[in-house]
PDB file of all heavy atoms in Angstrom:
ATOM      1  N   LEU A 136      21.051   3.333 -10.482  1.00  0.00           N
ATOM      2  CA  LEU A 136      22.452   3.559 -10.602  1.00  0.00           C
ATOM      3  C   LEU A 136      23.106   2.531 -11.485  1.00  0.00           C
ATOM      4  O   LEU A 136      22.975   1.357 -11.201  1.00  0.00           O
ATOM      5  CB  LEU A 136      23.101   3.600  -9.226  1.00  0.00           C
ATOM      6  CG  LEU A 136      24.582   4.037  -9.102  1.00  0.00           C
ATOM      7  CD1 LEU A 136      24.744   5.464  -9.402  1.00  0.00           C
ATOM      8  CD2 LEU A 136      25.033   3.693  -7.678  1.00  0.00           C
ATOM      9  N   LEU A 138      25.814   0.088 -12.751  1.00  0.00           N
ATOM     10  CA  LEU A 138      26.990  -0.513 -12.115  1.00  0.00           C
ATOM     11  C   LEU A 138      27.661  -1.511 -13.028  1.00  0.00           C
ATOM     12  O   LEU A 138      27.029  -2.144 -13.891  1.00  0.00           O
ATOM     13  CB  LEU A 138      26.562  -1.233 -10.799  1.00  0.00           C
ATOM     14  CG  LEU A 138      25.876  -0.428  -9.711  1.00  0.00           C
ATOM     15  CD1 LEU A 138      25.491  -1.352  -8.567  1.00  0.00           C
ATOM     16  CD2 LEU A 138      26.763   0.712  -9.252  1.00  0.00           C
ATOM     17  N   GLU A 143      33.173   0.045  -8.200  1.00  0.00           N
ATOM     18  CA  GLU A 143      33.030   0.572  -6.867  1.00  0.00           C
ATOM     19  C   GLU A 143      31.938   1.660  -6.784  1.00  0.00           C
ATOM     20  O   GLU A 143      31.731   2.361  -7.729  1.00  0.00           O
ATOM     21  CB  GLU A 143      34.355   1.095  -6.292  1.00  0.00           C
ATOM     22  CG  GLU A 143      35.397   0.065  -6.117  1.00  0.00           C
ATOM     23  CD  GLU A 143      36.682   0.664  -5.533  1.00  0.00           C
ATOM     24  OE1 GLU A 143      36.665   1.854  -5.175  1.00  0.00           O
ATOM     25  OE2 GLU A 143      37.706  -0.052  -5.376  1.00  0.00           O
ATOM     26  N   VAL A 144      31.230   1.669  -5.680  1.00  0.00           N
ATOM     27  CA  VAL A 144      30.271   2.670  -5.412  1.00  0.00           C
ATOM     28  C   VAL A 144      30.603   3.454  -4.221  1.00  0.00           C
ATOM     29  O   VAL A 144      30.915   2.868  -3.156  1.00  0.00           O
ATOM     30  CB  VAL A 144      28.846   2.034  -5.230  1.00  0.00           C
ATOM     31  CG1 VAL A 144      27.822   3.085  -4.902  1.00  0.00           C
ATOM     32  CG2 VAL A 144      28.457   1.275  -6.487  1.00  0.00           C
ATOM     33  N   ASN A 145      30.568   4.811  -4.293  1.00  0.00           N
ATOM     34  CA  ASN A 145      30.785   5.613  -3.080  1.00  0.00           C
ATOM     35  C   ASN A 145      29.421   5.846  -2.417  1.00  0.00           C
ATOM     36  O   ASN A 145      28.504   6.355  -3.047  1.00  0.00           O
ATOM     37  CB  ASN A 145      31.435   6.970  -3.517  1.00  0.00           C
ATOM     38  CG  ASN A 145      32.883   6.814  -3.920  1.00  0.00           C
ATOM     39  OD1 ASN A 145      33.527   5.810  -3.476  1.00  0.00           O
ATOM     40  ND2 ASN A 145      33.404   7.737  -4.651  1.00  0.00           N
ATOM     41  N   LEU A 146      29.340   5.455  -1.202  1.00  0.00           N
ATOM     42  CA  LEU A 146      28.108   5.633  -0.458  1.00  0.00           C
ATOM     43  C   LEU A 146      28.301   6.557   0.727  1.00  0.00           C
ATOM     44  O   LEU A 146      29.190   6.317   1.546  1.00  0.00           O
ATOM     45  CB  LEU A 146      27.608   4.274   0.037  1.00  0.00           C
ATOM     46  CG  LEU A 146      26.397   4.278   1.018  1.00  0.00           C
ATOM     47  CD1 LEU A 146      25.157   4.842   0.380  1.00  0.00           C
ATOM     48  CD2 LEU A 146      26.180   2.930   1.600  1.00  0.00           C
ATOM     49  N   LEU A 147      27.559   7.635   0.782  1.00  0.00           N
ATOM     50  CA  LEU A 147      27.588   8.561   1.906  1.00  0.00           C
ATOM     51  C   LEU A 147      26.296   8.317   2.683  1.00  0.00           C
ATOM     52  O   LEU A 147      25.221   8.645   2.186  1.00  0.00           O
ATOM     53  CB  LEU A 147      27.729   9.958   1.465  1.00  0.00           C
ATOM     54  CG  LEU A 147      27.653  11.069   2.569  1.00  0.00           C
ATOM     55  CD1 LEU A 147      28.790  10.886   3.569  1.00  0.00           C
ATOM     56  CD2 LEU A 147      27.638  12.451   2.010  1.00  0.00           C
ATOM     57  N   GLU A 158      23.515   8.956  -0.110  1.00  0.00           N
ATOM     58  CA  GLU A 158      23.904   9.478  -1.449  1.00  0.00           C
ATOM     59  C   GLU A 158      24.903   8.523  -2.023  1.00  0.00           C
ATOM     60  O   GLU A 158      25.816   8.002  -1.351  1.00  0.00           O
ATOM     61  CB  GLU A 158      24.557  10.892  -1.313  1.00  0.00           C
ATOM     62  CG  GLU A 158      23.539  11.961  -0.885  1.00  0.00           C
ATOM     63  CD  GLU A 158      24.169  13.381  -0.812  1.00  0.00           C
ATOM     64  OE1 GLU A 158      25.379  13.409  -1.108  1.00  0.00           O
ATOM     65  OE2 GLU A 158      23.442  14.336  -0.576  1.00  0.00           O
ATOM     66  N   MET A 159      24.726   8.241  -3.288  1.00  0.00           N
ATOM     67  CA  MET A 159      25.523   7.239  -3.953  1.00  0.00           C
ATOM     68  C   MET A 159      26.060   7.775  -5.332  1.00  0.00           C
ATOM     69  O   MET A 159      25.352   8.462  -6.025  1.00  0.00           O
ATOM     70  CB  MET A 159      24.798   5.954  -4.160  1.00  0.00           C
ATOM     71  CG  MET A 159      24.555   5.121  -2.935  1.00  0.00           C
ATOM     72  SD  MET A 159      23.608   3.632  -3.293  1.00  0.00           S
ATOM     73  CE  MET A 159      21.987   4.352  -3.530  1.00  0.00           C
ATOM     74  N   LYS A 160      27.260   7.378  -5.669  1.00  0.00           N
ATOM     75  CA  LYS A 160      27.774   7.625  -7.001  1.00  0.00           C
ATOM     76  C   LYS A 160      28.894   6.632  -7.339  1.00  0.00           C
ATOM     77  O   LYS A 160      29.542   6.141  -6.392  1.00  0.00           O
ATOM     78  CB  LYS A 160      28.241   9.028  -7.177  1.00  0.00           C
ATOM     79  CG  LYS A 160      29.471   9.354  -6.301  1.00  0.00           C
ATOM     80  CD  LYS A 160      29.920  10.835  -6.537  1.00  0.00           C
ATOM     81  CE  LYS A 160      31.097  11.251  -5.686  1.00  0.00           C
ATOM     82  NZ  LYS A 160      31.525  12.599  -5.931  1.00  0.00           N
ATOM     83  N   THR A 161      29.056   6.319  -8.571  1.00  0.00           N
ATOM     84  CA  THR A 161      30.193   5.434  -8.944  1.00  0.00           C
ATOM     85  C   THR A 161      31.382   6.296  -9.279  1.00  0.00           C
ATOM     86  O   THR A 161      31.297   7.522  -9.433  1.00  0.00           O
ATOM     87  CB  THR A 161      29.814   4.566 -10.189  1.00  0.00           C
ATOM     88  OG1 THR A 161      29.560   5.477 -11.291  1.00  0.00           O
ATOM     89  CG2 THR A 161      28.546   3.787  -9.928  1.00  0.00           C
ATOM     90  N   LEU A 162      32.518   5.646  -9.375  1.00  0.00           N
ATOM     91  CA  LEU A 162      33.759   6.407  -9.665  1.00  0.00           C
ATOM     92  C   LEU A 162      33.746   7.058 -11.006  1.00  0.00           C
ATOM     93  O   LEU A 162      34.417   8.045 -11.223  1.00  0.00           O
ATOM     94  CB  LEU A 162      34.960   5.517  -9.445  1.00  0.00           C
ATOM     95  CG  LEU A 162      35.205   4.916  -8.043  1.00  0.00           C
ATOM     96  CD1 LEU A 162      36.455   3.992  -8.049  1.00  0.00           C
ATOM     97  CD2 LEU A 162      35.349   6.078  -7.028  1.00  0.00           C
ATOM     98  N   SER A 163      32.953   6.475 -11.937  1.00  0.00           N
ATOM     99  CA  SER A 163      32.860   7.007 -13.301  1.00  0.00           C
ATOM    100  C   SER A 163      31.874   8.118 -13.456  1.00  0.00           C
ATOM    101  O   SER A 163      31.657   8.611 -14.527  1.00  0.00           O
ATOM    102  CB  SER A 163      32.593   5.865 -14.292  1.00  0.00           C
ATOM    103  OG  SER A 163      31.371   5.253 -13.980  1.00  0.00           O
ATOM    104  N   GLN A 164      31.171   8.442 -12.396  1.00  0.00           N
ATOM    105  CA  GLN A 164      30.090   9.357 -12.446  1.00  0.00           C
ATOM    106  C   GLN A 164      30.461  10.569 -11.550  1.00  0.00           C
ATOM    107  O   GLN A 164      30.824  10.404 -10.361  1.00  0.00           O
ATOM    108  CB  GLN A 164      28.739   8.786 -12.078  1.00  0.00           C
ATOM    109  CG  GLN A 164      28.265   7.784 -13.036  1.00  0.00           C
ATOM    110  CD  GLN A 164      27.027   7.098 -12.508  1.00  0.00           C
ATOM    111  OE1 GLN A 164      26.965   6.632 -11.396  1.00  0.00           O
ATOM    112  NE2 GLN A 164      25.957   7.091 -13.310  1.00  0.00           N
ATOM    113  N   ASN A 165      30.309  11.766 -12.078  1.00  0.00           N
ATOM    114  CA  ASN A 165      30.490  12.930 -11.280  1.00  0.00           C
ATOM    115  C   ASN A 165      29.177  13.436 -10.666  1.00  0.00           C
ATOM    116  O   ASN A 165      29.166  14.237  -9.703  1.00  0.00           O
ATOM    117  CB  ASN A 165      31.077  14.019 -12.131  1.00  0.00           C
ATOM    118  CG  ASN A 165      32.457  13.751 -12.617  1.00  0.00           C
ATOM    119  OD1 ASN A 165      33.241  13.185 -11.888  1.00  0.00           O
ATOM    120  ND2 ASN A 165      32.746  14.073 -13.851  1.00  0.00           N
ATOM    121  N   MET A 166      28.059  12.899 -11.177  1.00  0.00           N
ATOM    122  CA  MET A 166      26.785  13.404 -10.736  1.00  0.00           C
ATOM    123  C   MET A 166      26.300  12.504  -9.588  1.00  0.00           C
ATOM    124  O   MET A 166      26.308  11.283  -9.702  1.00  0.00           O
ATOM    125  CB  MET A 166      25.777  13.255 -11.885  1.00  0.00           C
ATOM    126  CG  MET A 166      24.355  13.703 -11.525  1.00  0.00           C
ATOM    127  SD  MET A 166      23.185  13.572 -12.834  1.00  0.00           S
ATOM    128  CE  MET A 166      23.160  11.790 -13.052  1.00  0.00           C
ATOM    129  N   GLU A 167      25.930  13.123  -8.518  1.00  0.00           N
ATOM    130  CA  GLU A 167      25.400  12.375  -7.398  1.00  0.00           C
ATOM    131  C   GLU A 167      23.976  11.888  -7.708  1.00  0.00           C
ATOM    132  O   GLU A 167      23.178  12.617  -8.245  1.00  0.00           O
ATOM    133  CB  GLU A 167      25.305  13.314  -6.144  1.00  0.00           C
ATOM    134  CG  GLU A 167      26.707  13.591  -5.554  1.00  0.00           C
ATOM    135  CD  GLU A 167      26.540  14.382  -4.245  1.00  0.00           C
ATOM    136  OE1 GLU A 167      25.439  14.822  -3.922  1.00  0.00           O
ATOM    137  OE2 GLU A 167      27.565  14.540  -3.586  1.00  0.00           O
ATOM    138  N   LEU A 168      23.760  10.624  -7.416  1.00  0.00           N
ATOM    139  CA  LEU A 168      22.494  10.028  -7.727  1.00  0.00           C
ATOM    140  C   LEU A 168      21.709   9.662  -6.462  1.00  0.00           C
ATOM    141  O   LEU A 168      20.670   9.015  -6.561  1.00  0.00           O
ATOM    142  CB  LEU A 168      22.668   8.700  -8.544  1.00  0.00           C
ATOM    143  CG  LEU A 168      23.257   8.914  -9.945  1.00  0.00           C
ATOM    144  CD1 LEU A 168      23.502   7.563 -10.587  1.00  0.00           C
ATOM    145  CD2 LEU A 168      22.354   9.763 -10.777  1.00  0.00           C
ATOM    146  N   GLY A 169      22.104  10.118  -5.352  1.00  0.00           N
ATOM    147  CA  GLY A 169      21.400   9.837  -4.085  1.00  0.00           C
ATOM    148  C   GLY A 169      20.188  10.756  -3.894  1.00  0.00           C
ATOM    149  O   GLY A 169      19.066  10.412  -4.132  1.00  0.00           O
TER     150      GLY A 169
END
Side-chain angles (χ1 to χ4, degrees):
L136 187 68
L138 301 178
E143 293 185 5
V144 177
N145 287 339
L146 170 66
L147 174 63
E158 292 182 358
M159 286 179 287
K160 64 179 180 180
T161 64
L162 296 180
S163 61
Q164 292 173 310
N165 294 321
M166 180 181 65
E167 290 185 349
L168 292 178

